[in-house]
Amino acid sequence: MPNIKKIYIYPFILTTILASYIITFSSCKQEQHLSIYDIQKQVIEDSAMVVTAHPLATKAGIEILKQGGNAIDAAIAVQFALTVVYPRAGNIGGGGFMIYRSKDNEVNTLDFREKAPLSASKNMYLDSLGNVIEGLSRNGHLAVGVPGVVDGMIKAHQKYGSIKDFGKLLEPAIRYAQEGIILSEGEAQHYNKYQEDFKKFNTQKNVFYSKKNKGQLFKQPELAATLIRIKEKGEAGFYEGTTADLLVAEMQRSNGIITHEDLKKYDAVWRTPLQEPYKNYTIISMPPPSSGGIALCQLLNIIEEFPLSEYQFHSKEHIHLFAEAERRVYADRATHLGDSDFWTVPKDSLLSDFYLDQRMQSFNPNKATPSDSIQAGNIVINESEETTHFSIVDVQGNAVSITTTLNSNYGSKVVVGGAGFFLNNEMDDFSAKPGVPNQFGLVGNEANAIAPEKRMLSSMTPTIILKDDQLFMVVGTPGGSTIITSVFQTFTNVAEFGMNLKDAVHSNRFHAQWLPDQIYIEEESSFSKELINELKQMGHQIETREPIGRVDAILVLPDGQLEGVADRRGEDHAEGY
Ligand code: GLY
């Protein structure tokens, strides 16, 4: 009798070993290229979870949680750590939004968005002929809004922090800045890509100025000193004293307009969260000055009437419906949304069933509605995509969802001389020339016009979602105007298409936003040629583009465990215990 084991089983075992070796080896190679860190894209744990754009920021949050801190304490540690390890978007020179839900269902939102300086004016980016001066609101000192992060973190700590000593929460960040961090290949490349801009827009040499290499130890002593001032003096360590003097001096060495008075007057604001139902879910998200919450809830309200779960994922019905809803919602954003401290935002109307039914009257299931036939106001969808998001759940079940930004990569590119941190270019999120098309063919509106102390409109959509009144999902992403649609897709991928969180986050995305009249799909896409042709035949214009968003999310599984997922599109890292 032939030896069955030898003929069938040994070759099978050998093939399996070889296959798993190839899979392991090739995935290692991919990870190695991405990062030197041991990155976790999906983890399932019992008690607590932190998901951020950088492994060391995630570890800062875990460190604080393990010292007995709650989700707010961990979020503060993450925010400061990101300033050091992810300075392209993590920041103390910018702003952001926080959604908080306590284990006892207290919900709150904190607006620490930047503000226009006191001497800002509506036409500050226009020349004598009334034309927009290219780049003025996007690069350099005049592009900078008054930073809100430090005040935001202090206010969050005062209200909800559990570790009494605020300074303790800065310790991981200070350590990273003092002792240095090892740069991954991606990080080194990113710094190198912007060398010319760093030189062009800075008045003094700084640590970002030189070419970087993978594996290099990168220390930031000036930033460490700034963080120590904040640790020791709180508000006064940033908005007054040495840091404020350095920031104002930096402004004065060029065409910046932020003064000591601007810094002293900055105030982060607790705002009433937007809470809207979707089937048996509750969406808790950010009200203005972000457009994110209202737009997300409008989109969900619109699709609720459609049998989405009967559609195939990424079918023409799915993409067409989403694009048509997005076209209308982004047109609304353009007309109606701005800083609610300065502009009356008709929130209730925008979210009413009646209004949204009316908006969809012109929906044709077989045909795209040209954007120029959609009545809408005029606003610039001009946010850059370099923002960052993190999601945290602590052992007690408190949840924090924060999206924070400098706007563009490294913001205005301006580093505060002697203080070692980048300043935002958030002024570009205003409409530079309301009511008239700007040089990029985009139009703006009064709702988002520049005014002293006004906050510029945002698309950031940090979100917490409840299912049957219990914590279900903590979610958000960077991505400028694509933030809203990425959060929308992540949630509907789970709630309507039955995906696990990993697939929901990692699957390819598409995006539409009224103007330009286009559906964008991710380049490395799974969208078939047939599907693209079908959509084109319906009248849609399709364009491929670079990756959309970097969603970092947490899902509470039916057995109460936490699933943390970090987007495959970056070096984002999930960790829990
Ligand atoms: N700067 C991006 C946003 O706020 O939407």
Side-chain angles (χ1 to χ4, degrees):
M1 199 173 141
N3 185 340
I4 303 279
K5 233 183 182 176
K6 256 191 192 155
I7 293 175
Y8 296 107
I9 300 184
Y10 288 164
F12 173 76
I13 292 171
L14 278 176
T15 316
T16 312
I17 291 171
L18 191 66
S20 59
Y21 173 77
I22 290 167
I23 290 164
T24 315
F25 181 70
S26 56
S27 66
C28 277
K29 257 181 86 175
Q30 202 180 3
E31 289 285 89
Q32 258 176 23
H33 170 74
L34 275 175
S35 174
I36 51 157
Y37 303 102
D38 183 14
I39 283 179
Q40 298 183 142
K41 290 297 178 195
Q42 181 195 30
V43 287
I44 296 178
E45 297 286 357
D46 289 335
S47 306
M49 187 67 67
V50 181
V51 194
T52 84
H54 195 285
L56 293 176
T58 299
K59 286 179 190 304
I62 293 286
E63 180 179 324
I64 294 299
L65 287 178
K66 286 195 169 165
Q67 286 174 20
N70 63 17
I72 291 282
D73 298 322
I76 295 166
V78 168
Q79 175 77 52
F80 284 111
L82 284 168
T83 306
V84 183
V85 301
Y86 195 72
R88 77 177 84 159
N91 68 83
I92 51 173
F97 301 113
M98 181 183 87
I99 313 291
Y100 171 69
R101 178 183 183 265
S102 77
K103 62 178 192 321
D104 305 317
N105 200 30
E106 177 181 351
V107 291
N108 213 339
T109 69
L110 183 61
D111 167 2
F112 52 99
R113 181 76 160 162
E114 302 91 327
K115 295 177 90 166
L118 286 160
S119 61
S121 59
K122 189 167 164 177
N123 298 333
M124 63 189 278
Y125 299 115
L126 307 186
D127 65 16
S128 56
L129 299 174
N131 298 317
V132 175
I133 301 168
E134 182 170 356
L136 204 56
S137 65
R138 282 182 290 135
N139 292 308
H141 298 64
L142 196 59
V144 184
V146 184
V149 162
V150 174
D151 188 48
M153 294 305 101
I154 289 169
K155 287 218 164 74
H157 181 253
Q158 283 165 349
K159 199 168 177 77
Y160 295 116
S162 70
I163 289 185
K164 277 219 168 78
D165 177 10
F166 177 75
K168 218 170 173 38
L169 310 178
L170 279 90
E171 279 173 9
I174 292 170
R175 201 171 61 234
Y176 296 151
Q178 277 177 333
E179 295 173 11
I181 62 163
I182 304 287
L183 296 181
S184 70
E185 185 178 349
E187 286 163 341
Q189 281 170 357
H190 221 269
Y191 284 118
N192 294 341
K193 190 172 152 194
Y194 286 90
Q195 283 301 308
E196 229 173 80
D197 279 349
F198 293 163
K199 284 175 188 146
K200 191 165 164 193
F201 296 109
N202 278 287
T203 59
Q204 294 191 336
K205 277 205 155 188
N206 57 60
V207 287
F208 304 102
Y209 244 53
S210 53
K211 197 170 169 298
K212 307 277 179 281
N213 298 305
K214 176 190 169 189
Q216 174 184 337
L217 181 68
F218 180 48
K219 296 185 185 182
Q220 301 177 61
E222 288 179 346
L223 177 56
T226 301
L227 293 170
I228 289 169
R229 285 192 291 274
I230 299 168
K231 173 176 155 61
E232 286 171 355
K233 301 190 174 125
E235 295 270 352
F238 186 84
Y239 294 98
E240 295 171 45
T242 307
T243 312
D245 290 346
L246 290 169
L247 199 157
V248 172
E250 182 60 54
M251 290 285 119
Q252 288 169 353
R253 280 195 292 275
S254 187
N255 58 349
I257 56 173
I258 294 177
T259 61
H260 280 287
E261 196 188 352
D262 280 310
L263 294 172
K264 264 198 134 155
K265 282 191 84 172
Y266 184 85
D267 209 12
V269 188
W270 292 103
R271 297 196 188 271
T272 309
L274 198 71
Q275 292 194 75
E276 289 292 314
Y278 173 76
K279 299 186 176 173
N280 58 332
Y281 300 94
T282 308
I283 315 299
I284 306 167
S285 197
M286 197 64 213
S290 185
S291 62
I294 289 182
L296 175 66
C297 293
Q298 282 188 300
L299 290 170
L300 288 168
N301 185 312
I302 289 172
I303 63 154
E304 196 168 352
E305 301 307 313
F306 293 82
L308 198 60
S309 53
E310 289 170 22
Y311 299 167
Q312 216 189 318
F313 177 65
H314 282 180
S315 60
K316 70 171 186 212
E317 291 81 10
H318 172 198
I319 295 177
H320 176 62
L321 171 64
F322 275 38
E324 289 296 301
E326 287 161 6
R327 193 191 299 285
R328 288 158 177 83
V329 164
Y330 277 80
D332 274 347
R333 178 197 194 276
T335 314
H336 299 296
L337 298 189
D339 180 353
S340 52
D341 292 344
F342 286 72
W343 182 262
T344 309
V345 176
K347 172 180 144 275
D348 294 341
S349 306
L350 288 171
L351 290 168
S352 77
D353 294 346
F354 176 75
Y355 174 79
L356 291 167
D357 284 351
Q358 293 294 311
R359 294 292 280 151
M360 287 301 274
Q361 285 295 312
S362 55
F363 173 73
N364 178 336
N366 302 310
K367 210 167 176 295
T369 323
S371 279
D372 59 12
S373 73
I374 300 278
Q375 288 303 307
N378 316 307
I379 215 166
V380 184
I381 310 292
N382 59 357
E383 299 90 338
S384 149
E385 306 207 347
E386 287 310 320
T387 295
T388 187
H389 176 83
F390 53 97
S391 297
I392 299 177
V393 176
D394 67 22
V395 284
Q396 290 159 331
N398 304 302
V400 172
S401 180
I402 288 188
T403 313
T404 178
T405 188
L406 287 169
N407 198 11
S408 302
N409 264 306
Y410 308 105
S412 61
K413 319 293 184 287
V414 175
V415 175
V416 176
F421 63 93
F422 283 100
L423 288 166
N424 68 83
N425 62 336
E426 221 70 61
M427 291 297 284
D428 197 54
D429 272 352
F430 278 118
S431 183
K433 192 178 181 185
V436 178
N438 71 9
Q439 63 191 319
F440 307 109
L442 297 165
V443 288
N445 186 283
E446 204 54 39
N448 192 31
I450 303 168
E453 295 197 89
K454 189 175 174 182
R455 289 176 157 97
M456 51 299 281
L457 188 63
S458 171
S459 294
M460 292 190 281
T461 316
T463 300
I464 293 176
I465 298 169
L466 313 182
K467 184 177 182 183
D468 300 324
D469 300 324
Q470 302 300 314
L471 182 64
F472 179 67
M473 187 185 278
V474 185
V475 61
T477 179
S481 58
T482 70
I483 289 174
I484 298 161
T485 56
S486 295
V487 171
F488 179 45
Q489 284 169 81
T490 305
F491 170 60
T492 49
N493 286 352
V494 174
E496 295 293 352
F497 294 107
M499 289 185 195
N500 62 36
L501 187 63
K502 186 174 178 216
D503 292 345
V505 169
H506 290 190
S507 61
N508 284 312
R509 301 192 182 110
F510 59 95
H511 171 75
Q513 61 172 42
W514 180 49
L515 292 176
D517 189 346
Q518 217 133 32
I519 299 178
Y520 296 94
I521 56 174
E522 283 185 314
E523 205 147 4
E524 44 166 320
S525 119
S526 56
F527 303 93
S528 68
K529 281 212 170 78
E530 289 86 334
L531 172 67
I532 291 169
N533 282 338
E534 279 176 331
L535 288 165
K536 281 184 176 165
Q537 273 161 19
M538 293 168 93
H540 290 291
Q541 315 213 27
I542 312 289
E543 196 168 299
T544 51
R545 51 154 286 167
E546 68 275 14
I548 298 173
R550 280 170 74 165
V551 173
D552 286 341
I554 300 170
L555 189 73
V556 182
L557 299 172
D559 65 359
Q561 284 194 305
L562 300 170
E563 179 183 5
V565 172
D567 204 313
R568 65 173 168 84
R569 294 163 181 82
E571 292 170 294
D572 305 43
H573 175 71
E575 201 167 316
Y577 59 91

